[in-house]
Amino acid sequence: MQQLNFPVYNFRFKNSENKVSIFDEIRKKFIILTPEEWVRQHVVRFLLEEKKYPKSLINVEKLLNVNGLRKRYDVVVFNPDGSIFVLIECKAPEIKTAQATFDQIARYNMTLKAEYMMVTNGHNHYFCQMDFENEKYEFLNELPDYKTKNI
């Protein structure tokens, strides 16, 4: 897998039936290593190691209903009260992060009501904070750390 625009992390890999899997610390199991999964695992490590978010508040790949359609989010970080603090959309490195990606995550967020959103393809990371009152989002340079935000 290619180098991404994240710090270098050590991952656990497994090879079975000519398929490489990567260990997901959140789901506590090996997941087939796809380009998108490579990005997702870097995001999880980034949240844990750089932003210091507790593992217990991070959730990966769960179903949600958006306008009656079943969708799956990539990563969320919860607040201790169960509301969603950060919603993250991961794309494979070769996928450009275009307006359609932001529209997708914004649609998901109409249901989830996350305070912050992140979109990444592993090379380019975009962070934004929601302004629900004015129905828009504002781009940021980075996500807040766990300690400084104290979610």
Side-chain angles (χ1 to χ4, degrees):
M1 286 285 155
Q2 62 181 282
Q3 178 66 41
L4 301 177
N5 184 17
F6 284 102
V8 176
Y9 300 116
N10 290 319
F11 295 102
R12 288 175 45 202
F13 298 98
K14 178 174 85 171
N15 197 339
S16 80
E17 299 175 20
N18 291 329
K19 291 189 177 170
V20 177
S21 296
I22 187 168
F23 188 76
D24 183 317
E25 288 188 47
I26 305 302
R27 292 178 273 186
K28 295 180 175 42
K29 65 179 182 177
F30 282 93
I31 307 294
I32 298 289
L33 184 58
T34 63
E36 183 177 324
E37 192 62 44
W38 183 237
V39 172
R40 188 171 18 256
Q41 292 307 312
H42 276 79
V43 166
V44 167
R45 279 298 193 52
F46 170 76
L47 295 171
L48 292 169
E49 296 183 26
E50 312 313 318
K51 293 298 174 182
K52 306 298 184 202
Y53 294 143
K55 191 186 293 190
S56 62
L57 296 179
I58 299 173
N59 204 317
V60 176
E61 282 229 302
K62 294 285 188 216
L63 285 174
L64 69 144
N65 269 326
V66 178
N67 299 326
L69 300 173
R70 291 167 54 112
K71 301 290 182 181
R72 186 178 292 272
Y73 63 71
D74 285 316
V75 182
V76 296
V77 178
F78 289 97
N79 287 303
D81 69 3
S83 62
I84 296 178
F85 181 61
V86 185
L87 172 62
I88 301 163
E89 180 65 27
C90 301
K91 296 294 184 190
E94 67 274 7
I95 305 294
K96 289 191 187 242
T97 47
Q99 185 63 47
T101 309
F102 288 96
D103 293 345
Q104 175 187 2
I105 196 170
R107 276 193 307 277
Y108 289 5
N109 205 35
M110 287 179 179
T111 301
L112 298 175
K113 305 279 191 243
E115 186 176 345
Y116 293 92
M117 297 185 301
M118 174 182 177
V119 172
T120 183
N121 65 358
H123 297 297
N124 301 306
H125 316 306
Y126 300 96
F127 311 103
C128 46
Q129 183 172 16
M130 289 301 301
D131 177 353
F132 289 105
E133 194 173 301
N134 296 306
E135 297 183 349
K136 63 180 186 172
Y137 47 86
E138 179 181 322
F139 284 94
L140 306 170
N141 290 329
E142 61 181 87
L143 290 175
D145 292 343
Y146 182 75
K147 290 179 196 165
T148 56
K149 175 61 181 155
N150 204 11
I151 60 176

